[in-house]
Amino acid sequence: MSLKWPALFIFALACIQASAQTQAPKECTPTVVGKVETFDLHSAVFDNTRTVRVFLPPGYNDAANRERHYPVLYMFDGQNLFDACIAYDHVHEWQVDETVTRLIGEGKIEPLIVVGLDNAREKRAFEYLAWRDGLQNPGGPATAGVRLPEFLIKDVMPVIESRYRIAKGRENTAVGGSSYGGVAALYVGIDIPLVFGKVLAESPIVWVGNGEIVRQTSFLAAAPLKVFMAFGGKEADLAAANDAEVKAIRQVETNLTKALYSPSEVKFVFDPEAHHNEAAWAKRLPEAITFLFPAQK
């Protein structure tokens, strides 16, 4: 029996959970571990202001490390990365601070800085998507995600590099996100792979633009150095929907590894029991970070 498109992608609303932000509970104990600095950043590209949340690795401010420069991971949906009190459901967050701190302590990854960029709430899809989501919002307004690379290069990176000791080079610069943010991270990675050499794309919604990310990667002169992608087996209510998403992501994986001059080293993880939420992304984060930023031998 064939499935019509609306039935195949019945989980569209679940895939944009992070676009909604509700009021935090009156009593909530912050879950931040280590040092996370926050400040407001005005974007000339999008003409708005958002909060930036910067995780600094253990020892960053020690005198012994005063001259040390650190690789950096820029991540979308910054509200959901470090503190459950401000996360989407006020319960689950990526646990980036806990995970990175632990992996550094265990000697499994090199110390790095993580920059969380808050989304634009009701304009999240407008900023994150380079192509219209014709299944979730047919006939909706055009999106501005094609300007994300410009936003990062002109608005974000100069400020971060002026405030913190950032190691330069594509091998030290990564971008990551989930759901629409995962599509955004992939788009940035293939648009400016000589700037962002590493990509973390959790549960990317590859139907956006009627599968445009698959077509965009079908021929690449250069791709990022490393790409981590993952998807869960219970993200959709229908097995056929999950199968379609995984098949498309697998095609993106193949495309990235066949770039003409600079192919990607790609790791794809399929978790059969995982849903489309922060808990799943937090669970897979240790594997993703260890793949992207392994400790130097």
Side-chain angles (χ1 to χ4, degrees):
M1 181 181 70
S2 63
L3 291 172
K4 295 182 179 180
W5 279 92
L8 185 60
F9 295 105
I10 197 170
F11 67 116
L13 287 176
C15 293
I16 58 171
Q17 286 180 343
S19 65
Q21 299 292 332
T22 57
Q23 292 292 322
K26 291 183 178 180
E27 295 183 5
C28 184
T29 302
T31 60
V32 174
V33 169
K35 182 69 172 178
V36 175
E37 298 184 350
T38 63
F39 60 90
D40 288 337
L41 173 75
H42 179 75
S43 167
V45 171
F46 292 124
D47 191 24
N48 58 22
T49 300
R50 76 197 66 226
T51 299
V52 177
R53 309 173 193 276
V54 182
F55 169 82
L56 299 177
Y60 177 87
N61 290 315
D62 290 355
N65 295 322
R66 193 168 295 162
E67 301 301 319
R68 182 170 186 170
H69 287 67
Y70 296 81
V72 59
L73 168 59
Y74 295 91
M75 293 190 69
F76 300 120
D77 292 319
Q79 297 100 320
N80 300 321
L81 302 181
F82 307 114
D83 188 355
C85 291
I86 59 171
Y88 162 70
D89 62 0
H90 311 304
V91 177
H92 299 102
E93 38 111 346
W94 278 66
Q95 299 180 354
V96 171
D97 43 341
E98 292 93 336
T99 297
V100 173
T101 298
R102 176 174 60 80
L103 293 175
I104 291 173
E106 294 173 351
K108 294 181 178 179
I109 65 172
E110 57 182 318
L112 72 147
I113 293 171
V114 182
V115 178
L117 305 167
D118 279 18
N119 63 51
R121 299 181 183 273
E122 69 276 2
K123 287 191 174 181
R124 176 175 181 265
F126 174 77
E127 289 188 356
Y128 284 1
L129 299 184
W131 315 285
R132 196 193 322 264
D133 184 346
L135 295 181
Q136 170 61 24
N137 189 22
T143 55
V146 292
R147 302 198 70 185
L148 264 182
E150 181 185 5
F151 163 70
L152 290 168
I153 290 175
K154 292 185 177 180
D155 291 337
V156 178
M157 295 177 73
V159 174
I160 296 301
E161 291 173 0
S162 70
R163 287 174 173 247
Y164 304 99
R165 301 191 303 277
I166 302 298
K168 301 296 182 65
R170 67 192 297 231
E171 68 277 8
N172 294 309
T173 311
V175 61
S178 60
S179 194
Y180 279 174
V183 177
L186 282 170
Y187 178 76
V188 170
I190 65 174
D191 189 63
I192 46 174
L194 300 186
V195 178
F196 287 90
K198 299 178 180 181
V199 174
L200 193 170
E202 278 285 359
S203 304
I205 308 305
V206 293
W207 78 59
V208 169
N210 201 14
E212 187 62 26
I213 195 69
V214 180
R215 291 186 290 275
Q216 289 284 326
T217 57
S218 63
F219 174 80
L220 294 171
L225 298 170
K226 286 187 172 186
V227 177
F228 180 95
M229 296 186 292
F231 203 81
K234 295 184 178 180
E235 300 205 24
D237 291 336
L238 298 176
N242 262 76
D243 292 345
E245 282 282 311
V246 171
K247 181 179 179 181
I249 295 172
R250 284 287 194 187
Q251 185 60 57
V252 172
E253 175 188 18
T254 298
N255 293 346
L256 289 168
T257 62
K258 292 183 177 180
L260 186 59
Y261 297 112
S262 174
S264 293
E265 178 186 353
V266 182
K267 185 167 190 176
F268 174 70
V269 173
F270 176 71
D271 185 345
E273 298 301 317
H275 294 267
H276 189 94
N277 55 34
E278 283 74 21
W281 304 325
K283 177 185 174 183
R284 296 192 291 260
L285 184 62
E287 187 172 6
I289 295 291
T290 303
F291 171 72
L292 294 174
F293 295 100
Q296 301 298 314
K297 297 181 180 179

